[in-house]
Amino acid sequence: MLSPLPVRNGVNATRLRLPGSGPWPTVADYLLERFGHVDPAGILRRFQDGEIVGLGGQPLDAGTPLGRHDFIWYYRSLPEEEPIPFQARILHQDEHLIAVDKPHFLPTTPGGRFIQQSALVRLRNQTGIDELVPMHRLDRATAGVILFAVNPQTRGAYQSLFERREIRKGYQAVVPLAPGPGLETGKVLQAGDIIAERSPAQLRELIESLPLDFANRMTKVKGQLRSIVQDGEPNARTRISLAALGRSAGHFSGLPVALLDLDPLTGKTHQLRVHLASLGLGIINDAFYPRLWDLAPDDYDRPLQLLAKSIAFTDPLSGQARSFTSQQQLLEAPPAA
């Protein structure tokens, strides 16, 4: 259903489905009961100013009876946002696609306390293309390559590549190989969120055994922050390879670390983070796995050491092979030889 209101400052209007009937004589009465604890005067002012509209852009007033409209649209009041001090970089732009190199800490789409400080809204404002939508998402904590669709008429052809798993993604992660302050070295996440210990010798043996294909069973429960590891038939698979061994030159300078190449063969939520934590190779600065950290302000000196390094596919329109590679490097990775 197309919004009758245009994108404003890079942000879509909000759509709200109304009940067909109820104890509220008007739409305004319903909104005041549902949202009046936030800003009742602001709700009435929006009706007075014609800022709440129905299908076709018809403005509603405070006396519009409930039941006359199934949906309404309005612009949200945007929160005050602390600027995120990192910029996404456009790697490629044409009439159909934009490939972006997203930094750590920047969310892909607006939500919660991040609206203008999201990759989508920033990119819409930067390019002037209101029809932009992300083809997939990266966690706010994860950096790397994201594809955005430019043209609504050709968007479906690219989306079908994701549905048919014809997009090849490559990730990198840095994991610690020795204890350090705040590091969960050797902590193994098992079914039921049980934490076991893998010894330094076992870690070395594991690293020497790479590459390997790791699989387990994962599920995501609505309303819970973390994915859950379960017993049963595996539904999540990752190819894990060793890219480099050495010592960190970043925040954990001198710490023995491994840089890993990750090839997700399935696409479960937090799959790469869970799989490495399930091996005792929890990613440096992972606030979710193997244990959930206490909520704290972002520490820009300690980004999650996970990077969506590359994305490749056969273009459904031209038939040509296409690939895009992040220009970022993980802070804790060992220096290149």
Side-chain angles (χ1 to χ4, degrees):
M1 185 180 298
L2 293 177
S3 171
L5 295 176
V7 171
R8 186 169 73 180
N9 296 326
V11 182
N12 296 87
T14 296
R15 185 183 73 180
L16 178 67
R17 186 184 185 98
L18 298 174
S21 60
W24 314 278
T26 68
V27 174
D29 290 321
Y30 170 72
L31 295 181
L32 286 169
E33 180 169 317
R34 181 169 176 181
F35 303 114
H37 62 286
V38 178
D39 183 16
I43 291 174
L44 293 176
R45 184 173 60 253
R46 287 176 183 228
F47 280 106
Q48 293 169 2
D49 295 342
E51 293 183 354
I52 298 176
V53 305
L55 195 63
Q58 177 185 355
L60 282 63
D61 59 39
T64 300
L66 187 72
R68 184 172 294 179
H69 296 269
D70 294 326
F71 295 93
I72 59 172
W73 286 262
Y74 60 94
Y75 294 111
R76 286 176 289 177
S77 297
L78 301 183
E80 292 290 331
E81 298 181 60
E82 185 74 23
I84 295 173
F86 308 106
Q87 298 298 321
R89 175 180 296 180
I90 294 178
L91 300 173
H92 170 85
Q93 180 174 351
D94 61 31
E95 60 185 321
H96 303 293
L97 287 177
I98 295 179
V100 170
D101 201 356
K102 184 187 83 70
H104 296 283
F105 301 104
L106 186 70
T108 299
T109 55
R113 59 192 178 98
F114 301 104
I115 306 298
Q116 292 295 320
Q117 299 301 311
S118 65
L120 175 61
V121 173
R122 282 186 178 184
L123 196 58
R124 282 177 172 175
N125 289 333
Q126 178 182 348
T127 64
I129 304 173
D130 290 341
E131 295 80 11
L132 278 178
V133 295
M135 305 294 292
H136 56 112
R137 298 190 185 188
L138 290 180
D139 292 340
R140 188 170 83 88
T142 305
V145 181
I146 310 179
L147 298 181
F148 290 82
V150 173
N151 188 337
Q153 281 68 49
T154 60
R155 181 187 306 160
Y158 292 96
Q159 287 177 326
S160 66
L161 296 177
F162 290 90
E163 295 166 1
R164 297 196 301 265
R165 300 190 183 279
E166 295 177 3
I167 297 283
R168 300 176 299 283
K169 299 178 184 177
Y171 288 76
Q172 289 189 325
V174 182
V175 299
L177 300 180
L183 297 177
E184 294 283 348
T185 310
K187 303 297 184 183
V188 180
L189 180 64
Q190 297 180 326
D193 281 349
I194 297 172
I195 304 294
E197 185 82 26
R198 192 185 294 274
S199 70
Q202 289 173 321
L203 281 180
R204 288 195 300 271
E205 183 179 354
L206 174 60
I207 289 296
E208 291 170 359
S209 73
L210 298 178
L212 65 82
D213 289 343
F214 183 81
N216 66 2
R217 184 165 189 83
M218 294 176 52
T219 188
K220 183 72 167 64
V221 178
K222 186 175 181 180
Q224 294 188 15
L225 292 174
R226 306 201 308 164
S227 292
I228 297 171
V229 177
Q230 297 179 313
D231 292 322
E233 184 70 21
N235 63 357
R237 293 174 172 81
T238 302
R239 178 84 170 165
I240 303 171
S241 304
L242 178 63
L245 284 173
R247 294 184 179 272
S248 168
H251 180 85
F252 295 101
S253 180
L255 179 76
V257 296
L259 176 66
L260 303 178
D261 287 328
L262 308 172
D263 179 13
L265 305 178
T266 55
K268 297 296 183 181
T269 300
H270 293 173
Q271 175 178 313
L272 303 178
R273 299 165 72 171
V274 169
H275 279 183
L276 290 181
S278 298
L279 288 167
L281 296 171
I283 301 172
I284 292 178
N285 299 331
D286 192 339
F288 280 31
Y289 308 97
R291 289 192 174 89
L292 184 65
W293 293 5
D294 292 334
L295 183 64
D298 289 333
D299 184 346
Y300 294 140
D301 292 328
R302 296 186 57 183
L304 174 70
Q305 293 300 282
L306 180 61
L307 175 67
K309 186 66 176 179
S310 63
I311 191 165
F313 56 93
T314 299
D315 192 289
L317 303 182
S318 68
Q320 295 179 336
R322 308 188 72 177
S323 64
F324 306 103
T325 302
S326 172
Q327 298 177 13
Q328 301 179 72
Q329 301 294 324
L330 291 170
L331 177 67
E332 306 294 345

